[in-house]
Amino acid sequence: MQQSNMFDYKNYRYFKIAVVVILIALAAFLFFEPAVGHYGGSWLGYTLGTISACMVLWMTWYGIRKRRYRGTGATQGWLSAHIYLGTALTFIVTLHSGFNFGLNIHTLAYALLLIVVASGFFGNYTYMIYPRKMTENMGEDSLDGLLLRIAEADKLARKIALLMPDEINNTVLRACRETSIGLSLIDQLSGFQPNCPSAKAVQELTILGKDLAVEQRKLYRELYSIMVRRESLVRRARQDLMYRARLGIWLYLHVPFTVGLLVAMLAHIVAVFVYW
């Protein structure tokens, strides 16, 4: 039996509700044109605006309330409603505005809403894609375990490199000293280091190993194997940090802009009643 997820929860319950809400709002917009025309200050504008404000507050409460649920089903239900009704909200708010935009607090609130919804879509995408990729990349390993194995490979590679010609020794030392893993947020999000010293070292060792004496080739093969394995571990560690960073970065947009939306929406409502 196929397991339900946040998109098809309860046979697409909230998708159907969102479609009905959009159709009702669109029908009201098309068939009931106020005498003053479509804009936020008409009776239809106030109605759609009130519904929109209630939906914003309800979906903001989801971010707090979801932490109180322990059951998967309850969390999936709230998240499904959050996604579909949040999408419907963009349609309702657009109709509420009557497509009248300008350089004012009202349009600012609308723009913030679009940013919140867009960042929410990206967040849903990351949670659909990256957990699976993290599992494929790490398997049974942990990030701490990878870093420990990289440190052990560094120690062993340096020890062997001391017995090799200076060019090989220097290549290994540069790779061990200059390789970085997620030092900055940009590095974490990109998942790679430009001109990666580890990858470059493997390429250089491939060339340098051709001119070695016969008695050094056994040590060279062992060193080369260690450096190839080390480069693979470095790449996997960077990918894990990249997936983790991308899973969390959207919240740095979603949460602050949600707070900004609430403030702008309050200012919008106050302004409407002051100039009513």
Side-chain angles (χ1 to χ4, degrees), residues 12-257:
Y12 298 94
R13 172 190 292 177
Y14 293 107
F15 170 75
K16 296 173 182 176
I17 293 174
V19 170
V20 170
V21 169
I22 292 173
L23 291 177
I24 292 175
L26 184 59
F29 185 85
L30 294 176
F31 295 108
F32 298 98
E33 183 174 357
V36 293
H38 287 298
Y39 81 109
S42 66
W43 67 267
L44 181 59
Y46 280 124
T47 301
L48 295 176
T50 301
I51 295 172
S52 299
C54 291
M55 291 178 69
V56 168
L57 293 175
W58 181 80
M59 283 184 288
T60 301
W61 178 241
Y62 162 79
I64 302 172
R65 190 164 186 173
K66 71 175 182 179
R67 292 170 175 79
R68 300 182 181 179
Y69 284 110
R70 296 181 180 178
T72 303
T75 302
Q76 282 187 349
W78 271 84
L79 182 55
S80 180
H82 195 72
I83 294 170
Y84 288 123
L85 295 182
T87 304
L89 177 62
T90 60
F91 287 92
I92 297 173
V93 171
T94 303
L95 297 178
H96 158 67
S97 70
F99 301 95
N100 294 300
F101 304 109
L103 297 177
N104 49 51
I105 189 64
H106 317 298
T107 302
L108 174 62
Y110 179 76
L112 290 172
L113 172 67
L114 295 183
I115 294 174
V116 169
V117 172
S119 62
F121 277 132
F122 178 74
N124 291 322
Y125 169 79
T126 62
Y127 278 98
M128 288 173 57
I129 301 298
Y130 292 133
R132 174 179 56 82
K133 289 184 176 292
M134 290 173 67
T135 301
E136 292 173 354
N137 177 54
M138 297 297 285
E140 298 297 324
D141 293 323
S142 66
L143 180 59
D144 289 340
L146 289 186
L147 296 177
L148 180 60
R149 289 164 63 185
I150 291 171
E152 292 173 348
D154 283 356
K155 183 178 179 180
L156 184 56
R158 288 185 179 189
K159 183 178 180 180
I160 296 175
L162 289 173
L163 305 175
M164 305 298 288
D166 289 342
E167 284 186 307
I168 291 180
N169 184 40
N170 291 333
T171 297
V172 171
L173 285 177
R174 279 197 303 271
C176 294
R177 290 174 179 173
E178 298 177 9
T179 298
S180 63
I181 301 176
L183 289 182
S184 67
L185 180 60
I186 299 299
D187 291 338
Q188 293 178 24
L189 290 172
S190 64
F192 74 96
Q193 179 184 1
N195 299 317
C196 174
S198 295
K200 191 175 180 180
V202 172
Q203 295 173 357
E204 292 179 356
L205 287 175
T206 303
I207 299 173
L208 295 173
K210 295 178 180 179
D211 300 326
L212 291 175
V214 176
E215 60 271 15
Q216 291 180 317
R217 289 181 180 175
K218 182 178 179 180
L219 277 178
Y220 165 78
R221 286 193 294 269
E222 183 179 357
L223 175 63
Y224 183 80
S225 176
I226 292 171
M227 294 302 290
V228 170
R229 184 169 66 253
R230 177 186 177 281
E231 194 272 333
S232 175
L233 293 172
V234 169
R235 186 172 62 252
R236 289 174 61 199
R238 285 177 179 150
Q239 287 180 330
D240 186 64
L241 282 174
M242 179 187 70
Y243 297 142
R244 292 170 183 265
R246 293 183 181 181
L247 273 173
I249 191 64
W250 71 279
L251 285 172
Y252 288 96
L253 285 175
H254 196 68
V255 174
F257 277 100

